[in-house]
Amino acid sequence: MKIAFVHYHLKTGGVTTVLRQQVTALRRHCDCLVLTGDRAGTELPCRIVEIPGLGYNRPGVSPSTTDRITDRMLDALRQQWPGGCDILHIHNPLIAKNRRFLDVINRLQQAGINLFLQIHDFAEDGRPDVYYLQEYPADCHYGVINLRDKKILRHAGLKEVGLHHLPNAVEPLPMQSQKSHDPLVLYPVRAIRRKNIGEAIILSFFLKGGRRLAITQPPNSPADLTSYRDWGHWIDANRLPVDLAAGRHTPFPQLVNAADSMITTSIAEGFGFSFLEPWTAGKWLWGRRLDAICADFEVNGIRLDGLYQRFKVPLTWIDRERYAYCWRRAVRETAHRYGYSVASETIDQAVARRFQSDWIDFGLLDERRQRQVGNRLIRDPAARQTLVEINPWLNDPGEPWPAGGLIESNRQAIRERYGQEQYRDRVLAIYDRVIGQRVCHRIDKRAVIEAFVDLDHFSLLQWGGYES
């Protein structure tokens, strides 16, 4: 098969990693070509054609026209394969980093090219700044990386025959036999707001045996950096056993080796590498469970026994009125940015449900209120016992449960279910269906928005503006 991959750029990141895995897995079975807006010095085991008009829109730079971008892509395909390609495999097409891209896709479709659109991220999942107001491409095959997204798109109108589940391959983390004398709890993440690093920091109060929390990398975006720096100041002021940028001065394999466990406190994930990778390095995983993501792994025989459903905090510890005000404002602003409205009655009912108990989930709080909880724990030793009483798992956070060979069992299951050979076979099977089956369907965008903007799980960390 003749396969052309398309992505905005080849800079280091999750989508580029997946694209590299695909080219590597398919190179003995397919003739591959990559079209990208920014090669970024990346080398792949196939030809790469850089078409700048495919890259991200940049302030002050006039974007290429739809016709020019499309013509350059078609020229590259003709040069590679005079008889045409079998499939154009496009990564993350529904993220409006390039405002011409949907028009380009429509032009390519009109040219008779088989399209496979693989979604890694939805703009509707907390990213209104990259939301397309226009309709998404119709009558082509789509791929998703988890079953939650497949369910959402089925409900939004896509047919089973043209919607494919393609979970990512998992590359094992570095594993060394020697143990560190200074054990860490490692959160291997770039500390953007939705990773909920405040929760990991508060959990460090309950670590035993002299363990420290290490978070590997700082964020890149200005909005995330402001929150990150405020956490850094708070950690320093209170002399907490936390290293916010451990990966800057210690190689990642060394950090993995020094960890006796890994943690995740994220409130939103796409594929969910953080739930799988620790086991490949022989590390126990604990932290916050995301049901919609973890269900995919558990059906494949991976046990996630060390995860908690929620982190309860007494409602009396926060200013309910101020929190409700910020939350209502965030809901309305979010709806406006997606071009739809939410009835005041619906918002009122959601607020009432949030306050119907005497506690609130820590992951639903923004950073300001999370630090208020932390300040209480610092001032009042009895407050820690209060949290332990309503969250019994805090007695021994991060301690491996007596589960025998669970780590090795999970590692084996990941190798069998998410290995390179299995991944290659899944991709090839999907390609066969893309070539052999025409589809007629389209996405109801309102249904996608409503699926992601779920008021019962609406967190200010993901949806609200940052309040210092």
Side-chain angles (χ1 to χ4, degrees), residues 421-440:
E421 291 184 10
Q422 296 84 351
Y423 187 69
R424 177 201 64 211
D425 293 344
R426 281 193 290 265
V427 174
L428 290 174
I430 290 172
Y431 285 171
D432 284 339
R433 294 197 289 274
V434 172
I435 293 171
Q437 181 69 57
R438 299 183 68 85
V439 292
C440 180

Side-chain angles (χ1 to χ4, degrees), residues 120-142:
H120 301 270
D121 305 292
F122 286 87
E124 293 87 348
D125 189 15
R127 303 180 68 182
D129 55 316
V130 289
Y131 177 67
Y132 282 111
L133 293 177
Q134 67 203 93
E135 294 301 313
Y136 294 144
D139 305 335
C140 57
H141 287 256
Y142 279 86

Side-chain angles (χ1 to χ4, degrees), residues 362-406:
F362 190 87
L364 295 176
L365 304 177
D366 62 344
E367 293 93 338
R368 182 176 186 179
R369 272 151 277 275
Q370 288 186 344
R371 281 192 285 273
Q372 288 173 358
V373 171
N375 289 334
R376 180 180 288 265
L377 295 176
I378 291 168
R379 292 193 312 266
D380 180 10
R384 300 192 189 194
Q385 184 57 35
T386 298
L387 287 189
V388 171
E389 289 172 359
I390 60 177
N391 302 282
W393 50 269
L394 280 175
N395 274 307
D396 293 298
E399 292 292 334
W401 295 7
L406 177 59

